[in-house]
Amino acid sequence: MNVLIDGWTLTQRNLLRLRHEPGTLLTILLMPTVFVVLFGYVFGSAIGIDGSSNYREYMMPGMFVLGSGTALSSAMVDVSMDNARGVMDRLRSMPTNRVSVPLGQSSAEGVIGAYGLVVMMLCGLVVGWRAHNGVWKTLAAIGLLLLFRYTLAWVGTYLGLAIPSASTAAALAPLTLPLTMVSNAFVPTDGMPGWLQVICEWNPLSALATATRELFGNPGVPGPDAAWPLAHPVAASLLWAGLLLVIFVPLSARKFARAGL
C-alpha cells in the first residue's frame, strides 16, 4: 500500500511540474498536427495501401503508436535531468519505497499519454480517420496504446537512471524515433528486403500498430499467413508489454536503489 501511496504522490509531482513547463503541453498539442499533415499529405501522396484508397486510415494507428513510443525518450530525459539536479539523491534519502519513484514517472507518462492520444485522435477525425468496430473495441485499442506507453515509460526510466548525464540522454532521445520507423506503422512490410521485413515483423511496435488497426477496423491487417506477431497482434502486444514490464520494473527499482553505490 505504501508503494501505491508514494507512487501516486510522485505521479502528482511529475504532473504538477507541467505547470512550470507549459511548452510541454503546447508541444503535445502541436506535434500531432504537424505529423499528421507531414505523413498524411506529403508522404502519403506517394504511398499506396492494398484494399484502401485512404492512406490516412492506415496511417493513424501508426501515429498513435508513434505517440506511445515517445514515452521512452520523454521518461529517459526527465529522469536523467532529475538525476543531474540531485532530485533522485534527495528521494533516495527519504523513506520512500524504491519502486515508487519509477512508478510515479511511468504513471505520469501514462496520464500525459492519454492527453496526447485524445489530441491525436481528434486530428485523425479531421483528416478522415474513423474507428469502425464499435465502442468496446475502440476502448480496447485505446487501452492497449496506453498500456504500451506505460510500459515504454518504464524502459525510459531505467535508461534515464543508467545514463550518466542529462545532455547525453537529450542527445540520444531522437534515436528512439527509428524504433517506430523500422516497423509497419507507416508503410507495409511487403516491399522491404527480407532481412528488414523480419526485423519489422518482430518489432513490438509493429504488433501494436497491427492490433490497433484490427481493433479500430482500419486497413492494413495482414492475413493468417503473416508472421505470428502480425497474425495475432493483440496477443503479441500483450505478451510484449508483459515481457518488458517483467524485465524493466525490477531493473528500474534496482537501479534507483543502487545508483551512486
Side-chain angles (χ1 to χ4, degrees):
M1 183 60 69
N2 288 338
V3 175
L4 297 178
I5 294 173
D6 290 346
W8 173 240
T9 300
L10 290 165
T11 299
Q12 290 178 297
R13 175 252 174 188
N14 288 313
L15 292 175
L16 289 173
R17 186 170 59 180
L18 293 176
R19 291 189 306 177
H20 306 288
E21 300 174 358
T24 300
L25 294 176
L26 185 61
T27 299
I28 296 173
L29 183 64
L30 292 178
M31 288 306 293
T33 305
V34 173
F35 276 114
V36 167
V37 171
L38 180 63
F39 283 89
Y41 291 98
V42 179
F43 297 157
S45 62
I47 300 174
I49 302 298
D50 291 340
S52 175
S53 59
N54 187 353
Y55 171 73
R56 290 178 291 281
E57 281 261 294
Y58 176 91
M59 174 199 73
M60 285 311 302
M63 295 299 302
F64 302 148
V65 170
L66 176 63
S68 296
T70 59
L72 195 158
S73 57
S74 177
M76 178 177 68
V77 172
D78 287 348
V79 170
S80 184
M81 290 180 65
D82 279 346
N83 220 7
R85 294 168 179 163
V87 174
M88 291 300 175
D89 290 333
R90 174 60 177 161
L91 292 173
R92 204 173 288 116
S93 69
M94 299 171 66
T96 305
N97 189 287
R98 64 180 185 173
V99 180
S100 60
V101 173
L103 175 62
Q105 180 66 45
S106 303
S107 299
E109 285 293 338
V111 175
I112 295 169
Y115 165 72
L117 183 58
V118 168
V119 174
M120 187 77 77
M121 293 180 76
L122 291 175
C123 290
L125 291 173
V126 170
V127 300
W129 168 82
R130 296 293 184 270
H132 302 284
N133 283 346
V135 174
W136 294 113
K137 286 191 175 181
T138 297
L139 291 176
I142 291 171
L144 198 58
L145 288 165
L146 294 178
L147 171 63
F148 233 85
R149 182 178 180 90
Y150 177 75
T151 300
L152 292 176
W154 278 97
V155 180
T157 297
Y158 171 74
L159 294 175
L161 290 167
I163 293 173
S165 75
S167 59
T168 301
L172 291 175
L175 297 180
T176 60
L177 184 61
L179 294 176
T180 308
M181 296 304 170
V182 185
S183 73
N184 66 358
F186 299 111
V187 294
T189 60
D190 299 343
M192 297 180 181
W195 61 272
L196 183 58
Q197 185 174 349
V198 171
I199 294 174
C200 290
E201 289 172 342
W202 287 89
N203 182 341
L205 297 182
S206 289
L208 180 61
T210 305
T212 53
R213 288 185 181 114
E214 181 179 287
L215 292 170
F216 285 134
N218 298 141
V221 179
D225 57 339
W228 188 87
L230 303 188
H232 307 86
V234 176
S237 298
L238 292 173
L239 286 173
W240 276 119
L243 178 62
L244 291 172
L245 286 173
V246 166
I247 293 173
F248 284 98
V249 169
L251 280 179
S252 297
R254 179 181 174 85
K255 190 66 179 177
F256 171 73
R258 295 179 62 85
L261 298 181

